[in-house]
Amino acid sequence: MKLIRNPRFTSLLKCVSQLSLETLSKPPISETGFLLCCTQNPRSLATQRTAAGDEVSSEKSSVKKTRNGTRITPRFRKLAEEAMLNYFYSTRGLQYMIAESMSKNSPIFIDNLLKKVSCVAASDINQCITRYLRFHPVNEFEPFLESSGLKPMEYTLLVPSDKIFLNEDAFLLENHHVLCYCGVDPKKIGKIFKEAREVFGYETGVLASKIKGYEDLGFSRLFLSKLIVSSPSILIGNTNLEMAKFLNRLKSVGFDFDWVMENLSEEAPCDWISVNRVLSLLKEICFDEDELCGLIRKCPRLVFENSGKWTLILAGFETKLGSSRSELCSLFQKFPQIQVEKCVLNLRHCFLFLKEIEILRNRILITKKSKK
């Protein structure tokens, strides 16, 4: 605690916390002023040739072929897609939009299928695939999930063990259609299936009513579609009041849904309780709504990066170092163009380093006293 109260230590920590990691990782510069990494290696040309040769051999070994050794060309794959479209739509009776998406947006599935058929010429591909599927029906969940944006390693555990046809899942396609009608990109529906699978088990009308509930809050379909992809969990249970509260609070200080949509990540789900907490924190340290609005607009990552959790950690750490409300506000106003997480990690490393120095200093003093 003595170290934390030291003003010089606190000042140094705050300075280091704002250093970008990129600054620390710049390549060294030689005395001539040129980057050392740019000096020419006399063996570089030979190395490049070797690398090029390895690349060519790698490409040759990765060439895909049918069962009887015929190379799978782009034309082969295109004809295979047409054959699968005909199979899914005409033979299996799937909706045309779904059949088309499954045939065009599942290249891994198509390649694996072509490896199993014996085909000599491109003109035979349709007949070969039709003949193969007559005796070897495929698991339709695989191309369905791949065309929905998932990779094989992601959907392997999601494929039902007791079903192979999509029509066997009573409400799957119905809820898929509702999401598409809402404006969700079919290629992103896989994320919803992965994170909120129960959504696809809703009975008729349930999912539509949940979406209607959010539309009644004033959300446009475009905004709602991105919101659903970002946080599929909002479709589970009752209307997410924490989310509605957060969006209304932002709206009250001048942020529309379009701005939120630009800054909301579709990759990671949003923790609405956490973003509400960080919004309350920023509102507390800012002197008025104009300052709060300016701060969030200047640095939206304070709110949206990892749902604001790193911002809460940073504020807590700075508070323990003795920072006042105005100092916290100043820190956030001058926040560097780096991730909040990096800033916190820099601060932590600096703290631990200086703590080690203090421990070493105390040991030296104790040793000196014992010798007297």
Side-chain angles (χ1 to χ4, degrees):
M1 293 304 295
K2 179 181 177 182
L3 181 62
I4 292 179
R5 294 193 186 98
N6 189 322
R8 293 178 62 188
F9 169 74
T10 304
S11 176
L12 179 59
L13 268 181
K14 291 179 180 179
C15 179
V16 174
S17 69
Q18 298 182 32
L19 290 177
S20 170
L21 292 184
E22 286 78 11
T23 305
L24 303 176
S25 59
K26 288 182 179 179
I29 300 178
S30 67
E31 295 179 357
T32 60
F34 293 98
L35 294 178
L36 292 177
C37 61
C38 294
T39 57
Q40 189 173 8
N41 185 341
R43 298 182 60 187
S44 62
L45 186 59
T47 304
Q48 290 173 3
R49 287 175 179 170
T50 303
D54 292 341
E55 186 176 346
V56 171
S57 62
S58 175
E59 287 180 0
K60 288 182 178 179
S61 62
S62 63
V63 171
K64 298 179 176 63
K65 297 181 180 180
T66 61
R67 185 179 180 183
N68 61 332
T70 305
R71 183 177 179 180
I72 300 176
T73 63
R75 175 169 168 73
F76 255 79
R77 191 175 287 105
K78 180 69 175 176
L79 292 172
E81 290 176 2
E82 293 176 359
M84 291 309 300
L85 172 59
N86 182 64
Y87 171 76
F88 288 137
Y89 179 63
S90 301
T91 305
R92 292 291 309 125
L94 299 178
Q95 294 179 4
Y96 185 83
M97 182 184 72
I98 294 177
E100 183 182 38
S101 178
M102 288 170 62
S103 61
K104 288 186 175 181
N105 300 314
S106 51
I108 297 176
F109 173 81
I110 295 292
D111 284 345
N112 290 335
L113 177 64
L114 286 173
K115 292 176 184 178
K116 299 175 183 178
V117 300
S118 299
C119 187
V120 178
S123 57
D124 300 329
I125 193 68
N126 187 30
Q127 183 179 358
C128 291
I129 289 180
T130 302
R131 186 188 307 117
Y132 178 83
L133 294 176
R134 186 179 302 158
F135 301 100
H136 306 86
V138 296
N139 190 317
E140 295 175 358
F141 286 88
E142 294 179 5
F144 173 76
L145 292 174
E146 184 182 352
S147 66
S148 298
L150 296 181
K151 298 177 181 178
M153 61 181 298
E154 293 178 297
Y155 68 66
T156 299
L157 297 178
L158 300 177
V159 175
S161 58
D162 58 339
K163 303 181 183 72
I164 64 170
F165 300 122
L166 294 178
N167 290 333
E168 293 181 273
D169 197 321
F171 301 104
L172 172 65
L173 297 180
E174 180 180 330
N175 288 307
H176 180 277
H177 176 72
V178 172
L179 290 172
C180 290
Y181 182 75
C182 175
V184 178
D185 185 347
K187 294 181 182 179
K188 296 179 180 179
I189 288 181
K191 183 176 183 291
I192 304 173
F193 191 90
K194 180 181 177 181
E195 297 180 10
R197 188 171 180 177
E198 50 264 57
V199 168
F200 294 87
Y202 287 155
E203 296 183 358
T204 302
V206 175
L207 180 57
S209 66
K210 289 180 179 292
I211 293 175
K212 180 66 166 55
Y214 287 113
E215 289 178 340
D216 291 342
L217 294 176
F219 301 162
S220 67
R221 286 205 168 183
L222 180 61
F223 174 71
L224 189 54
S225 64
K226 180 164 184 177
L227 202 59
I228 290 173
V229 174
S230 174
S231 300
S233 60
I234 67 172
L235 297 176
I236 301 174
N238 298 324
T239 302
N240 194 310
L241 298 180
E242 286 289 338
M243 180 195 69
K245 176 183 176 182
F246 170 73
L247 295 174
N248 286 330
R249 291 176 70 182
L250 281 182
K251 189 176 181 180
S252 67
V253 293
F255 295 98
D256 56 23
F257 293 151
D258 290 337
W259 182 88
V260 176
M261 187 167 60
E262 291 175 3
N263 291 279
L264 195 63
S265 171
E266 291 185 353
E267 302 302 322
C270 185
D271 184 339
W272 301 105
I273 295 178
S274 180
V275 291
N276 267 313
R277 286 175 179 169
V278 76
L279 192 58
S280 297
L281 168 70
L282 296 178
K283 186 176 182 180
E284 182 69 25
I285 65 175
C286 290
F287 291 98
D288 53 43
E289 288 190 353
D290 290 338
E291 189 173 39
L292 174 64
C293 181
L295 174 60
I296 296 176
R297 195 173 296 279
K298 178 183 177 182
C299 196
R301 71 173 67 88
L302 292 174
V303 177
F304 293 103
E305 184 185 326
N306 197 28
S307 302
K309 293 176 182 177
W310 284 109
T311 302
L312 293 172
I313 294 173
L314 176 59
F317 198 91
E318 290 286 345
T319 301
K320 286 187 176 182
L321 293 177
S323 296
S324 63
R325 168 187 166 185
S326 59
E327 287 174 328
L328 273 177
C329 184
S330 177
L331 169 66
F332 289 136
Q333 290 284 4
K334 300 175 182 178
F335 200 80
Q337 294 299 317
I338 62 172
Q339 293 180 339
V340 186
E341 178 184 2
K342 287 184 178 181
C343 178
V344 173
L345 294 179
N346 285 345
L347 187 62
R348 177 179 178 274
H349 291 323
C350 180
F351 177 82
L352 294 176
F353 173 70
L354 294 178
K355 189 69 177 175
E356 286 293 329
I357 292 177
E358 185 197 33
I359 293 174
L360 182 60
R361 174 179 171 275
N362 290 339
R363 287 177 179 174
I364 294 173
L365 291 176
I366 293 173
T367 303
K368 286 183 177 180
K369 288 181 180 179
S370 63
K371 289 181 178 180
K372 290 181 179 180

